[in-house]
Short mmCIF file of all heavy atoms in Angstrom, two decimals:
data_model
loop_
_atom_site.label_atom_id
_atom_site.label_comp_id
_atom_site.label_asym_id
_atom_site.label_seq_id
_atom_site.Cartn_x
_atom_site.Cartn_y
_atom_site.Cartn_z
N VAL A 2 134.44 -67.26 -48.60
CA VAL A 2 134.50 -66.88 -47.18
C VAL A 2 134.10 -68.07 -46.30
O VAL A 2 134.77 -68.36 -45.30
CB VAL A 2 133.59 -65.66 -46.90
CG1 VAL A 2 133.40 -65.43 -45.42
CG2 VAL A 2 134.16 -64.41 -47.58
N GLU A 3 133.06 -68.78 -46.68
CA GLU A 3 132.62 -69.95 -45.90
C GLU A 3 133.68 -71.03 -45.86
O GLU A 3 133.93 -71.63 -44.81
CB GLU A 3 131.33 -70.52 -46.49
CG GLU A 3 130.11 -69.69 -46.20
CD GLU A 3 128.86 -70.24 -46.88
OE1 GLU A 3 128.87 -71.43 -47.28
OE2 GLU A 3 127.89 -69.49 -46.99
N ARG A 4 134.32 -71.31 -46.99
CA ARG A 4 135.37 -72.35 -47.02
C ARG A 4 136.57 -71.97 -46.17
O ARG A 4 137.11 -72.80 -45.45
CB ARG A 4 135.82 -72.60 -48.45
CG ARG A 4 134.83 -73.40 -49.23
CD ARG A 4 135.41 -73.82 -50.53
NE ARG A 4 134.39 -74.52 -51.31
CZ ARG A 4 134.65 -75.19 -52.40
NH1 ARG A 4 135.87 -75.27 -52.87
NH2 ARG A 4 133.69 -75.80 -53.06
N ILE A 5 136.99 -70.71 -46.25
CA ILE A 5 138.13 -70.27 -45.44
C ILE A 5 137.77 -70.30 -43.97
O ILE A 5 138.55 -70.76 -43.14
CB ILE A 5 138.59 -68.86 -45.87
CG1 ILE A 5 139.16 -68.92 -47.30
CG2 ILE A 5 139.64 -68.32 -44.90
CD1 ILE A 5 139.45 -67.55 -47.90
N ALA A 6 136.58 -69.84 -43.63
CA ALA A 6 136.13 -69.86 -42.23
C ALA A 6 136.02 -71.30 -41.72
O ALA A 6 136.35 -71.57 -40.56
CB ALA A 6 134.80 -69.14 -42.09
N GLY A 7 135.60 -72.21 -42.58
CA GLY A 7 135.49 -73.63 -42.19
C GLY A 7 136.85 -74.25 -41.91
O GLY A 7 136.99 -75.11 -41.05
N ARG A 8 137.88 -73.81 -42.64
CA ARG A 8 139.24 -74.33 -42.44
C ARG A 8 139.93 -73.70 -41.25
O ARG A 8 140.92 -74.22 -40.77
CB ARG A 8 140.09 -74.07 -43.67
CG ARG A 8 139.76 -74.96 -44.83
CD ARG A 8 140.71 -74.65 -45.95
NE ARG A 8 140.65 -75.66 -46.97
CZ ARG A 8 141.48 -75.73 -47.97
NH1 ARG A 8 142.45 -74.84 -48.10
NH2 ARG A 8 141.38 -76.67 -48.86
N SER A 9 139.46 -72.54 -40.83
CA SER A 9 140.10 -71.79 -39.74
C SER A 9 139.10 -71.58 -38.62
O SER A 9 138.47 -70.52 -38.52
CB SER A 9 140.60 -70.44 -40.25
OG SER A 9 141.38 -70.60 -41.41
N PRO A 10 138.93 -72.56 -37.74
CA PRO A 10 137.90 -72.45 -36.69
C PRO A 10 138.15 -71.31 -35.70
O PRO A 10 137.21 -70.87 -35.04
CB PRO A 10 137.94 -73.81 -36.00
CG PRO A 10 139.23 -74.42 -36.39
CD PRO A 10 139.67 -73.81 -37.67
N ARG A 11 139.37 -70.80 -35.61
CA ARG A 11 139.66 -69.71 -34.68
C ARG A 11 139.16 -68.36 -35.19
O ARG A 11 139.03 -67.42 -34.42
CB ARG A 11 141.16 -69.59 -34.43
CG ARG A 11 141.73 -70.76 -33.70
CD ARG A 11 143.17 -70.50 -33.40
NE ARG A 11 143.83 -71.71 -32.97
CZ ARG A 11 145.11 -71.85 -32.85
NH1 ARG A 11 145.91 -70.84 -33.14
NH2 ARG A 11 145.64 -72.98 -32.45
N LEU A 12 138.92 -68.27 -36.49
CA LEU A 12 138.48 -67.00 -37.08
C LEU A 12 136.96 -66.98 -37.23
O LEU A 12 136.36 -67.97 -37.64
CB LEU A 12 139.11 -66.80 -38.46
CG LEU A 12 140.62 -66.65 -38.53
CD1 LEU A 12 141.08 -66.60 -39.98
CD2 LEU A 12 141.05 -65.38 -37.79
N TYR A 13 136.39 -65.84 -36.89
CA TYR A 13 134.96 -65.66 -37.10
C TYR A 13 134.71 -65.40 -38.59
O TYR A 13 135.57 -64.86 -39.28
CB TYR A 13 134.43 -64.47 -36.30
CG TYR A 13 134.46 -64.69 -34.81
CD1 TYR A 13 135.33 -63.97 -34.01
CD2 TYR A 13 133.59 -65.61 -34.22
CE1 TYR A 13 135.36 -64.16 -32.65
CE2 TYR A 13 133.62 -65.81 -32.85
CZ TYR A 13 134.50 -65.08 -32.07
OH TYR A 13 134.53 -65.28 -30.72
N GLN A 14 133.53 -65.77 -39.05
CA GLN A 14 133.22 -65.59 -40.46
C GLN A 14 133.29 -64.11 -40.87
O GLN A 14 133.76 -63.78 -41.94
CB GLN A 14 131.84 -66.17 -40.78
CG GLN A 14 131.54 -66.15 -42.27
CD GLN A 14 130.38 -67.02 -42.64
OE1 GLN A 14 129.96 -67.88 -41.88
NE2 GLN A 14 129.85 -66.81 -43.83
N ARG A 15 132.86 -63.22 -39.99
CA ARG A 15 132.90 -61.78 -40.34
C ARG A 15 134.35 -61.30 -40.47
O ARG A 15 134.64 -60.42 -41.27
CB ARG A 15 132.13 -60.95 -39.33
CG ARG A 15 132.74 -60.87 -37.97
CD ARG A 15 131.96 -59.94 -37.05
NE ARG A 15 132.58 -59.89 -35.75
CZ ARG A 15 132.29 -60.68 -34.74
NH1 ARG A 15 131.34 -61.60 -34.87
NH2 ARG A 15 132.92 -60.58 -33.59
N ASP A 16 135.27 -61.88 -39.68
CA ASP A 16 136.68 -61.52 -39.81
C ASP A 16 137.25 -62.00 -41.15
O ASP A 16 137.99 -61.29 -41.81
CB ASP A 16 137.51 -62.11 -38.66
CG ASP A 16 137.14 -61.50 -37.32
OD1 ASP A 16 136.63 -60.35 -37.30
OD2 ASP A 16 137.35 -62.17 -36.29
N VAL A 17 136.89 -63.22 -41.54
CA VAL A 17 137.33 -63.76 -42.83
C VAL A 17 136.76 -62.90 -43.96
O VAL A 17 137.45 -62.59 -44.93
CB VAL A 17 136.90 -65.24 -42.99
CG1 VAL A 17 137.21 -65.75 -44.38
CG2 VAL A 17 137.57 -66.11 -41.94
N GLU A 18 135.50 -62.49 -43.82
CA GLU A 18 134.87 -61.63 -44.81
C GLU A 18 135.63 -60.32 -44.96
O GLU A 18 135.87 -59.84 -46.07
CB GLU A 18 133.43 -61.34 -44.37
CG GLU A 18 132.44 -61.26 -45.47
CD GLU A 18 131.03 -61.25 -44.91
OE1 GLU A 18 130.59 -62.30 -44.38
OE2 GLU A 18 130.39 -60.20 -45.01
N ASN A 19 136.04 -59.73 -43.83
CA ASN A 19 136.82 -58.49 -43.86
C ASN A 19 138.19 -58.70 -44.51
O ASN A 19 138.66 -57.84 -45.25
CB ASN A 19 136.99 -57.93 -42.45
CG ASN A 19 135.70 -57.40 -41.88
OD1 ASN A 19 134.77 -57.04 -42.61
ND2 ASN A 19 135.60 -57.36 -40.55
N ILE A 20 138.82 -59.83 -44.23
CA ILE A 20 140.13 -60.13 -44.81
C ILE A 20 140.03 -60.29 -46.32
O ILE A 20 140.81 -59.71 -47.07
CB ILE A 20 140.74 -61.40 -44.16
CG1 ILE A 20 141.10 -61.11 -42.69
CG2 ILE A 20 141.96 -61.88 -44.93
CD1 ILE A 20 141.41 -62.37 -41.88
N VAL A 21 139.04 -61.07 -46.78
CA VAL A 21 138.85 -61.28 -48.21
C VAL A 21 138.54 -59.95 -48.90
O VAL A 21 139.11 -59.63 -49.96
CB VAL A 21 137.74 -62.32 -48.47
CG1 VAL A 21 137.34 -62.36 -49.94
CG2 VAL A 21 138.19 -63.70 -48.02
N SER A 22 137.68 -59.14 -48.30
CA SER A 22 137.34 -57.83 -48.88
C SER A 22 138.56 -56.93 -48.94
O SER A 22 138.76 -56.20 -49.92
CB SER A 22 136.24 -57.16 -48.07
OG SER A 22 135.03 -57.87 -48.21
N ALA A 23 139.40 -56.97 -47.90
CA ALA A 23 140.61 -56.14 -47.87
C ALA A 23 141.58 -56.56 -48.98
O ALA A 23 142.15 -55.71 -49.67
CB ALA A 23 141.28 -56.23 -46.51
N ILE A 24 141.76 -57.85 -49.15
CA ILE A 24 142.68 -58.35 -50.18
C ILE A 24 142.18 -57.95 -51.57
O ILE A 24 142.94 -57.41 -52.38
CB ILE A 24 142.85 -59.88 -50.08
CG1 ILE A 24 143.63 -60.23 -48.82
CG2 ILE A 24 143.55 -60.44 -51.31
CD1 ILE A 24 143.64 -61.70 -48.48
N LEU A 25 140.91 -58.21 -51.85
CA LEU A 25 140.36 -57.87 -53.16
C LEU A 25 140.35 -56.36 -53.38
O LEU A 25 140.60 -55.89 -54.50
CB LEU A 25 138.96 -58.45 -53.30
CG LEU A 25 138.87 -59.98 -53.29
CD1 LEU A 25 137.43 -60.44 -53.37
CD2 LEU A 25 139.70 -60.58 -54.39
N GLY A 26 140.10 -55.60 -52.32
CA GLY A 26 140.12 -54.14 -52.42
C GLY A 26 141.51 -53.61 -52.74
O GLY A 26 141.67 -52.69 -53.55
N GLU A 27 142.53 -54.20 -52.13
CA GLU A 27 143.91 -53.78 -52.41
C GLU A 27 144.32 -54.13 -53.83
O GLU A 27 145.03 -53.37 -54.49
CB GLU A 27 144.88 -54.41 -51.41
CG GLU A 27 144.87 -53.75 -50.05
CD GLU A 27 145.22 -52.27 -50.12
OE1 GLU A 27 146.20 -51.90 -50.80
OE2 GLU A 27 144.50 -51.48 -49.50
N ILE A 28 143.89 -55.29 -54.32
CA ILE A 28 144.19 -55.66 -55.70
C ILE A 28 143.54 -54.65 -56.65
O ILE A 28 144.17 -54.16 -57.58
CB ILE A 28 143.73 -57.10 -56.01
CG1 ILE A 28 144.60 -58.11 -55.25
CG2 ILE A 28 143.76 -57.39 -57.51
CD1 ILE A 28 144.10 -59.53 -55.32
N ALA A 29 142.26 -54.32 -56.41
CA ALA A 29 141.55 -53.36 -57.26
C ALA A 29 142.20 -51.98 -57.20
O ALA A 29 142.35 -51.31 -58.23
CB ALA A 29 140.08 -53.29 -56.85
N ALA A 30 142.61 -51.55 -56.00
CA ALA A 30 143.25 -50.24 -55.86
C ALA A 30 144.59 -50.19 -56.59
O ALA A 30 144.92 -49.19 -57.23
CB ALA A 30 143.44 -49.91 -54.37
N ALA A 31 145.35 -51.27 -56.50
CA ALA A 31 146.64 -51.33 -57.20
C ALA A 31 146.44 -51.26 -58.71
O ALA A 31 147.17 -50.55 -59.41
CB ALA A 31 147.39 -52.61 -56.82
N LEU A 32 145.44 -51.96 -59.22
CA LEU A 32 145.16 -51.92 -60.65
C LEU A 32 144.71 -50.53 -61.08
O LEU A 32 145.09 -50.05 -62.15
CB LEU A 32 144.09 -52.95 -61.02
CG LEU A 32 144.49 -54.41 -60.87
CD1 LEU A 32 143.32 -55.32 -61.21
CD2 LEU A 32 145.69 -54.75 -61.74
N ALA A 33 143.94 -49.86 -60.23
CA ALA A 33 143.49 -48.49 -60.54
C ALA A 33 144.67 -47.53 -60.61
O ALA A 33 144.66 -46.58 -61.39
CB ALA A 33 142.47 -48.03 -59.50
N ARG A 34 145.70 -47.78 -59.80
CA ARG A 34 146.91 -46.95 -59.83
C ARG A 34 147.82 -47.30 -61.00
O ARG A 34 148.80 -46.62 -61.26
CB ARG A 34 147.71 -47.12 -58.54
CG ARG A 34 147.09 -46.52 -57.31
CD ARG A 34 148.06 -46.55 -56.13
NE ARG A 34 148.60 -47.87 -55.85
CZ ARG A 34 148.09 -48.74 -54.99
NH1 ARG A 34 147.00 -48.43 -54.32
NH2 ARG A 34 148.67 -49.91 -54.80
N GLY A 35 147.53 -48.41 -61.67
CA GLY A 35 148.37 -48.86 -62.78
C GLY A 35 149.45 -49.82 -62.35
O GLY A 35 150.34 -50.16 -63.14
N ASP A 36 149.40 -50.31 -61.12
CA ASP A 36 150.39 -51.27 -60.61
C ASP A 36 150.01 -52.69 -61.01
O ASP A 36 148.86 -52.99 -61.31
CB ASP A 36 150.47 -51.20 -59.08
CG ASP A 36 151.00 -49.88 -58.58
OD1 ASP A 36 151.62 -49.15 -59.37
OD2 ASP A 36 150.76 -49.57 -57.39
N ARG A 37 151.00 -53.57 -60.97
CA ARG A 37 150.84 -55.00 -61.17
C ARG A 37 150.74 -55.66 -59.81
O ARG A 37 151.42 -55.25 -58.88
CB ARG A 37 152.10 -55.55 -61.82
CG ARG A 37 152.03 -55.88 -63.22
CD ARG A 37 153.43 -56.30 -63.70
NE ARG A 37 153.40 -57.71 -64.01
CZ ARG A 37 154.26 -58.59 -63.58
NH1 ARG A 37 155.25 -58.26 -62.81
NH2 ARG A 37 154.15 -59.83 -63.94
N VAL A 38 149.95 -56.71 -59.70
CA VAL A 38 149.87 -57.48 -58.46
C VAL A 38 150.26 -58.90 -58.79
O VAL A 38 149.59 -59.57 -59.58
CB VAL A 38 148.45 -57.44 -57.86
CG1 VAL A 38 148.39 -58.29 -56.60
CG2 VAL A 38 148.02 -56.02 -57.58
N GLU A 39 151.37 -59.36 -58.21
CA GLU A 39 151.86 -60.71 -58.48
C GLU A 39 151.71 -61.55 -57.23
O GLU A 39 152.25 -61.22 -56.17
CB GLU A 39 153.33 -60.65 -58.89
CG GLU A 39 153.90 -61.98 -59.24
CD GLU A 39 155.33 -61.90 -59.73
OE1 GLU A 39 155.75 -60.81 -60.18
OE2 GLU A 39 156.02 -62.93 -59.65
N LEU A 40 150.97 -62.63 -57.35
CA LEU A 40 150.80 -63.59 -56.26
C LEU A 40 151.51 -64.87 -56.68
O LEU A 40 151.01 -65.62 -57.52
CB LEU A 40 149.32 -63.84 -55.99
CG LEU A 40 148.48 -62.61 -55.65
CD1 LEU A 40 147.01 -62.96 -55.58
CD2 LEU A 40 148.96 -61.99 -54.36
#
């Protein structure tokens, strides 16, 4: 979160934290449903 926030001065650290949590949460939810996540 700190590295991403450091690279993106327009974003607040709490916003980056929410984005990272949302991405990881969606990956976990997809795996719980039995889906594959391809990045």
Side-chain angles (χ1 to χ4, degrees):
V2 168
E3 285 176 18
R4 284 190 184 191
I5 294 171
R8 286 183 167 189
S9 308
R11 293 185 193 169
L12 295 174
Y13 293 111
Q14 187 165 343
R15 69 175 180 269
D16 294 335
V17 173
E18 216 169 291
N19 290 336
I20 292 167
V21 169
S22 292
I24 290 170
L25 296 177
E27 283 301 314
I28 291 171
L32 293 177
R34 289 189 306 267
D36 295 341
R37 255 176 112 230
V38 178
E39 183 176 339
L40 302 173

